[in-house]
Amino acid sequence: MVFLGPPGSGKGTQAKKLSQELGLMHISTGDILRDAVKNQTELGKKAKEYMDRGELVPDNLMIALIEEVMPKEGGFILDGFPRTVPQALALEEMLRGYKRDVDKVFLFDLSEEVVVERLSGRLTCSQCGAVYHRKYNPPKQEGVCDLCGGKLIQREDDKEEVVRRRYRVYKEQTSPLVEFYQKKNKLIRLDASQDIQEVNKRLLEVLRDGH
Ligand code: ADP
Ligand code: AMP
């Protein structure tokens, strides 16, 4: 399945939870890119300036990356990919090669103002990438990751000015995928303004009942 929605709409939070609950693989292109930047790989060097500006990394790099990490069997959640129509077309073709298809696309619906509030309070573990929120999902001990003890930081691209640009980029380049998947009858809209437990409950309900 694919998780689609603006930055800060809770895709990563839900993908981590659901992948554990259902034994699915969680593929976050944002996490993979941040690791690549940290380890200064070739991909990381190419991607960094786009990420810092809040722009999308070019399609050819992203498609090559997904080809590399895509599992050939077993269920998985794509979190942050596809983000453009060419990426969605490449994904279709790739899956067709394995005689597979995207099953469901969940749209995390959230307004720009809530996005800005969520991202300005987001804390990310500098070691393991776990995600918290100052108000809505605080760590047990301030500044310290519950899972690995790593230091919690604010992502460079979570500063308000970059967040607003990322939201604009979402509207312009990613939101056409809503219609793309709607036409294929794969889109399921979620009210992402509900709290974390509520959104998780709704996801499980749709997966159980099919609607
Ligand atoms: P995305 O992966 O879509 O960019 P995240 O999962 O990282 O979004 O969530 C963005 C921020 O909002 C994080 O700080 C997270 O803890 C918080 N958050 C996620 N889901 C909710 C929710 N349902 N209600 C309130 N805060 C949330
Ligand atoms: P995220 O963690 O999903 O918010 O992604 C962080 C940044 O990584 C984005 O702002 C983009 O610069 C880049 N990125 C992640 N996924 C993609 C993608 N599918 N296509 C292009 N850029 C991406």
Side-chain angles (χ1 to χ4, degrees):
M1 61 187 104
V2 169
F3 282 7
L4 184 66
S9 57
K11 302 181 299 295
T13 300
Q14 297 297 333
K16 286 193 177 95
K17 216 168 150 56
L18 198 68
S19 59
Q20 273 173 12
E21 286 164 346
L22 301 181
L24 304 171
M25 189 171 165
H26 171 203
I27 303 175
S28 156
T29 43
D31 284 351
I32 296 172
L33 289 171
R34 276 184 291 281
D35 263 352
V37 170
K38 200 159 133 189
N39 297 323
Q40 299 185 345
T41 65
E42 279 310 306
L43 171 67
K45 285 182 202 158
K46 287 182 191 144
K48 186 176 184 318
E49 56 183 289
Y50 296 100
M51 296 170 77
D52 287 348
R53 285 201 298 262
E55 290 168 10
L56 295 184
V57 173
D59 284 340
N60 60 334
L61 291 178
M62 295 312 299
I63 292 165
L65 169 65
I66 282 293
E67 267 172 352
E68 218 176 280
V69 299
M70 167 89 74
K72 293 169 190 60
E73 52 190 40
F76 58 91
I77 302 174
L78 278 177
D79 159 17
F81 187 97
R83 258 172 154 107
T84 63
V85 172
Q87 289 182 16
L89 292 170
L91 175 65
E92 272 192 339
E93 198 187 311
M94 226 179 290
L95 287 170
R96 208 177 302 127
Y98 302 130
K99 300 206 164 28
R100 311 187 74 187
D101 198 1
V102 169
D103 181 18
K104 288 187 170 56
V105 178
F106 288 98
L107 173 63
F108 286 63
D109 226 349
L110 203 63
S111 71
E112 179 171 0
E113 285 325 303
V114 186
V115 159
V116 172
E117 201 216 347
R118 291 240 183 121
L119 291 186
S120 61
R122 173 156 72 179
L123 297 168
T124 306
C125 176
S126 55
Q127 273 181 40
C128 76
V131 172
Y132 301 85
H133 192 280
R134 282 184 223 281
K135 192 154 116 197
Y136 304 119
N137 184 22
K140 292 192 179 82
Q141 195 187 334
E142 201 185 318
V144 181
C145 178
D146 292 353
L147 302 178
C148 78
K151 186 170 170 236
L152 301 184
I153 53 159
Q154 186 185 34
R155 267 169 54 177
E156 276 299 317
D157 61 350
D158 279 350
K159 309 248 155 80
E160 180 168 342
E161 185 195 317
V162 187
V163 167
R164 295 222 182 249
R165 179 160 332 124
R166 286 161 66 205
Y167 191 82
R168 207 163 52 236
V169 166
Y170 168 78
K171 280 286 171 197
E172 287 169 12
Q173 299 185 51
T174 308
S175 70
L177 292 179
V178 172
E179 206 190 326
F180 179 94
Y181 284 119
Q182 219 158 21
K183 280 191 182 144
K184 296 179 190 291
N185 273 330
K186 291 185 194 285
L187 195 86
I188 294 153
R189 222 172 261 270
L190 291 176
D191 177 2
S193 71
Q194 304 279 314
D195 69 30
I196 294 174
Q197 292 308 334
E198 203 50 47
V199 178
N200 173 253
K201 211 173 102 194
R202 181 72 192 120
L203 274 165
L204 289 169
E205 214 172 72
V206 172
L207 292 173
R208 190 191 59 213
D209 303 339
H211 56 84

